[in-house]
Amino acid sequence: MKNKLIAASILSANFACLGKEINDVLEAGVDKIHFDVMDNHYVPNLTVGPLVLKSLRKNNIKCEIDIHLMTKKIDNLIINFAKLGANSIIIHPESSKHLDRSISLIKNYGCKAGLALNPSTSLNYLDYLIHKLDLILVMSVNPGFEGQKFLNYIYKKIIQIRKIINKKKKKILLEVDGGINIDNITNIAVSGADVFIIGSTLFKSKLSYSKIIKDIRLKLSKIY
């Protein structure tokens, strides 16, 4: 239970008061914040850039922040986000012509390195990169938009990756992002996830943030 983390995806937050939203979910018990950075090229949507992170750090938001790059060109963004206070930077294999080099760049700038795998992305990338990774992010929806439904066939992928991590005996966090809610989080956890990235379930609910986090913690406590 101690190793299971909840990350809040700000893609679903109210950007008119983003700082308050982040402080509120942290106070409610979220472990870290997840930035979805989209460029309208890799995915058909446009979201936040480095200046948002700079503004949050300047305004004393010191929590752990994951930067999930869903962009066509990533190396300059890796450097910019790292310099502005990112803790982890997660990239997609399809985003880099030289993936090993990009992962090394993340590490060289002092951040944890993560690899994100879309629903149809092969696990073969892990054969060559797992020794450099701190995080593996499984997309349980096709990336680009909030509020999508969890793809049930992704359970198999989560289980497969958990077996790979355990076999390698690596300290790698397995994150899952997309369509996570109170009804499916138990199955996702049992499949092997360490980090649950939630967006719409948290920010779009009529319940309080603390109530939602409390309910999720209760669900997880029954299986660990």
Side-chain angles (χ1 to χ4, degrees), residues 103-223:
I103 292 290
S104 295
L105 183 64
I106 296 171
K107 306 282 281 186
N108 291 341
Y109 274 86
C111 295
K112 296 176 184 177
L115 190 68
L117 302 174
N118 290 333
S120 62
T121 301
S122 172
L123 301 187
N124 291 342
Y125 288 102
L126 298 179
D127 293 341
Y128 304 96
L129 292 166
I130 195 166
H131 63 288
K132 287 189 172 183
L133 299 177
D134 302 291
L135 314 165
I136 298 172
L137 171 58
V138 178
M139 294 301 300
S140 45
V141 299
N142 287 297
F145 298 95
E146 62 174 313
Q148 297 185 69
K149 186 177 179 181
F150 184 95
L151 298 170
N152 285 327
Y153 63 82
I154 298 300
Y155 286 119
K156 179 181 178 181
K157 197 165 198 173
I158 299 169
I159 292 168
Q160 289 174 322
I161 296 174
R162 172 48 59 194
K163 288 180 179 177
I164 293 171
I165 293 172
N166 290 347
K167 185 177 180 180
K168 295 288 186 179
K169 297 181 180 180
K170 305 289 287 185
K171 293 183 179 180
I172 298 173
L173 289 177
L174 178 50
E175 303 191 350
V176 179
D177 184 5
I180 298 177
N181 56 50
I182 196 69
D183 296 320
N184 62 22
I185 197 165
T186 297
N187 288 335
I188 296 169
V190 169
S191 297
D194 300 304
V195 182
F196 310 88
I197 300 171
I198 54 176
S200 297
T201 294
L202 183 62
F203 289 108
K204 303 298 185 184
S205 175
K206 294 180 180 178
L207 300 175
S208 69
Y209 296 153
S210 58
K211 170 63 174 170
I212 296 165
I213 299 303
K214 181 180 179 180
D215 288 347
I216 289 173
R217 299 284 188 201
L218 181 62
K219 279 271 189 177
L220 294 175
S221 70
K222 292 180 180 180
I223 55 176

Side-chain angles (χ1 to χ4, degrees), residues 14-188:
N14 181 353
F15 276 74
C17 49
L18 183 58
K20 182 179 185 303
E21 289 270 72
I22 289 175
N23 281 323
D24 286 349
V25 294
L26 290 170
E27 186 176 344
V30 160
D31 297 295
K32 60 179 180 175
I33 299 300
H34 186 85
F35 268 50
D36 287 312
V37 181
M38 305 179 188
D39 67 351
N40 198 36
H41 293 282
Y42 180 73
V43 292
N45 199 359
L46 186 66
T47 58
V48 297
L51 288 179
V52 176
L53 177 60
K54 180 180 180 181
S55 178
L56 293 173
R57 290 304 196 204
K58 187 176 180 180
N59 284 275
N60 209 34
I61 292 179
K62 298 179 179 179
C63 65
E64 184 171 349
I65 295 179
D66 280 349
I67 302 297
H68 178 193
L69 296 180
M70 288 172 273
T71 62
K72 277 288 187 180
K73 296 182 179 181
I74 56 173
D75 287 353
N76 284 340
L77 287 174
I78 287 171
I79 295 170
N80 288 338
F81 275 110
K83 287 181 175 180
L84 291 172
N87 300 102
S88 308
I89 299 178
I90 305 165
I91 63 176
H92 288 257
E94 302 88 353
S95 294
S96 177
K97 292 182 179 180
H98 304 285
L99 187 56
D100 181 78
R101 183 185 296 165
S102 295
I103 292 290
S104 295
L105 183 64
I106 296 171
K107 306 282 281 186
N108 291 341
Y109 274 86
C111 295
K112 296 176 184 177
L115 190 68
L117 302 174
N118 290 333
S120 62
T121 301
S122 172
L123 301 187
N124 291 342
Y125 288 102
L126 298 179
D127 293 341
Y128 304 96
L129 292 166
I130 195 166
H131 63 288
K132 287 189 172 183
L133 299 177
D134 302 291
L135 314 165
I136 298 172
L137 171 58
V138 178
M139 294 301 300
S140 45
V141 299
N142 287 297
F145 298 95
E146 62 174 313
Q148 297 185 69
K149 186 177 179 181
F150 184 95
L151 298 170
N152 285 327
Y153 63 82
I154 298 300
Y155 286 119
K156 179 181 178 181
K157 197 165 198 173
I158 299 169
I159 292 168
Q160 289 174 322
I161 296 174
R162 172 48 59 194
K163 288 180 179 177
I164 293 171
I165 293 172
N166 290 347
K167 185 177 180 180
K168 295 288 186 179
K169 297 181 180 180
K170 305 289 287 185
K171 293 183 179 180
I172 298 173
L173 289 177
L174 178 50
E175 303 191 350
V176 179
D177 184 5
I180 298 177
N181 56 50
I182 196 69
D183 296 320
N184 62 22
I185 197 165
T186 297
N187 288 335
I188 296 169

